[in-house]
Amino acid sequence: EAQVTQNPRYLITVTGKKLTVTCSQNMNHEYMSWYRQDPGLGLRQIYYSMNVEVTDKGDVPEGYKVSRKEKRNFPLILESPSPNQTSLYFCASSHRGRNNSPLHFGNGTRLTVT
Amino acid sequence: GQNIDQPTEMTATEGAIVQINCTYQTSGFNGLFWYQQHAGEAPTFLSYNVLDGLEEKGRFSSFLSRSKGYSYLLLKELQMKDSASYLCAVRGFYNQGGKLIFGQGTELSVKP
């Protein structure tokens, strides 16, 4: 089944404790992206990657890191989480260069930082 | 600047028709998407428009007017399961990675 898999689904952590949210897709998509979703603010892009070893900042990259060592994986790293990073996070992927290619979303990771 | 506007909330009755509007002002346009998102779940793709006109897909239809920067999603024969948030998103320039810029979503409540 074609899908984007992110883990964990729920995560509660404390300020300053490094964490990684994993994301993997099995559709051979070149483009991958991370979004966060907050009430009243909608989906905001954190980082994106157009291909292996190519990453770039989105609209709200502060406090986040990503890597794209393999085509299928695009982990999101919070080196020192803070309470303002409490949010619902989505990983998404699509074909690059095809305007009609929709973003396919993972099931989301609900992160709480205390 | 880039801006996508949708009504925050709408209410409709089971079996009725509802139209959710979206207006956009973006620096690039490579198509407009509609997504459905149930609370706490992932957005799922509904439709894509890049040319002016109406695209019909079962109970759902989507319309685009590029000259007016306007789209709507039409839901017919509403069912209780259609209660969800509906997201309008515009695909930007290719040099931004074909980024999707999302509106804040319209929360639709379907009442019996």
Side-chain angles (χ1 to χ4, degrees):
Chain A
E1 181 191 350
Q3 59 186 4
V4 178
T5 304
Q6 48 179 120
N7 282 295
R9 289 294 307 276
Y10 301 92
L11 181 58
I12 301 173
T13 190
V14 296
T15 299
K17 187 176 181 182
K18 181 180 178 180
L19 67 90
T20 299
V21 184
T22 63
C23 174
S24 181
Q25 51 91 8
N26 62 1
M27 294 168 280
N28 203 34
H29 286 163
E30 302 85 5
Y31 181 87
M32 296 186 76
S33 182
W34 277 100
Y35 287 84
R36 62 178 287 175
Q37 187 173 39
D38 303 288
L41 297 175
L43 281 162
R44 294 179 293 167
Q45 190 181 53
I46 303 170
Y47 267 94
Y48 67 93
S49 169
M50 294 174 73
N51 215 325
V52 176
E53 301 291 1
V54 180
T55 63
D56 212 340
K57 295 177 180 178
D59 298 316
V60 288
E62 294 77 20
Y64 304 95
K65 284 174 56 177
V66 293
S67 69
R68 189 91 183 272
K69 293 187 170 64
E70 305 161 289
K71 195 172 187 178
R72 63 184 293 126
N73 295 325
F74 190 47
L76 179 70
I77 302 153
L78 284 71
E79 294 270 4
S80 183
S82 62
N84 64 11
Q85 293 178 299
T86 292
S87 187
L88 179 58
Y89 291 86
F90 288 103
C91 180
S93 71
S94 71
H95 285 296
R96 178 190 168 194
R98 301 185 202 175
N99 287 329
N100 64 347
S101 176
L103 274 180
H104 296 262
F105 286 84
N107 283 334
T109 296
R110 187 168 291 283
L111 172 66
T112 303
V113 183
T114 61
Chain B
Q2 311 208 86
N3 197 45
I4 298 178
D5 285 318
Q6 310 176 230
T8 304
E9 296 176 326
M10 297 183 72
T11 302
T13 305
E14 193 176 15
I17 299 172
V18 70
Q19 177 175 312
I20 302 174
N21 296 326
C22 170
T23 58
Y24 64 89
Q25 288 178 301
T26 56
S27 56
F29 183 82
N30 279 312
L32 187 143
F33 294 80
W34 283 96
Y35 282 82
Q36 180 191 61
Q37 185 180 24
H38 287 99
E41 297 183 9
T44 56
F45 168 70
L46 289 177
S47 67
Y48 172 77
N49 294 71
V50 67
L51 299 176
D52 290 352
L54 189 68
E55 295 278 344
E56 297 187 75
K57 198 185 284 188
R59 293 190 300 115
F60 292 7
S61 303
S62 56
F63 171 84
L64 176 67
S65 169
R66 289 172 297 172
S67 62
K68 294 182 180 177
Y70 168 69
S71 174
Y72 66 73
L73 180 69
L74 193 71
L75 291 76
K76 303 175 188 173
E77 301 168 17
L78 279 173
Q79 303 175 9
M80 298 299 289
K81 68 178 182 179
D82 297 329
S83 291
S85 185
Y86 291 86
L87 311 179
C88 173
V90 172
R91 172 153 270 156
F93 283 129
Y94 179 74
N95 64 359
Q96 297 173 320
K99 170 183 173 179
L100 283 192
I101 305 158
F102 286 86
Q104 291 191 26
T106 298
E107 192 71 38
L108 174 66
S109 296
V110 180
K111 309 288 186 189

